[in-house]
Amino acid sequence: MLLDFLLSLMAGGAVTGAQSRCVPKPLRIALAAVITLFMLTLGVFMLLCAIAINGGIAVRLVCGGLAALCLGYLVFFISRVWLSMR
């Protein structure tokens, strides 16, 4: 429970820090790269699970939906970071 709280606090801080103008630009780029790599990896993993799983159509749709949500959030996140870099 404590580990979950600490990980969510770090992830939330990394997302907020990557989009904040108060944080120096090299640190914002590093934070954005970490979050982008994590979300891209998670989205591709869920997409591969949707393709490889033999649990039926419902399980494939759930995994595919989660992959779409991860990759959709990634696009939203990158656009927000791009706008904050200007």
Side-chain angles (χ1 to χ4, degrees):
M1 186 165 134
L2 181 62
L3 184 62
D4 181 43
F5 174 71
L6 291 175
L7 286 175
S8 67
L9 188 64
M10 287 187 328
V15 169
T16 305
Q19 297 174 356
S20 174
R21 289 185 186 251
C22 298
V23 178
K25 197 170 190 174
L27 185 58
R28 281 191 284 170
I29 292 172
L31 290 172
V34 168
I35 295 297
T36 300
L37 182 67
F38 175 74
M39 291 304 287
L40 187 66
T41 304
L42 187 63
V44 170
F45 177 72
M46 291 306 293
L47 190 62
L48 288 176
C49 284
I51 293 170
I53 201 162
N54 291 327
I57 191 70
V59 178
R60 286 184 180 194
L61 285 175
V62 168
C63 288
L66 288 173
L69 284 174
C70 287
L71 297 175
Y73 177 75
L74 182 62
V75 169
F76 174 74
F77 173 73
I78 290 173
S79 69
R80 294 286 295 177
V81 169
W82 183 265
L83 288 176
S84 72
M85 291 287 183
R86 294 177 128 194

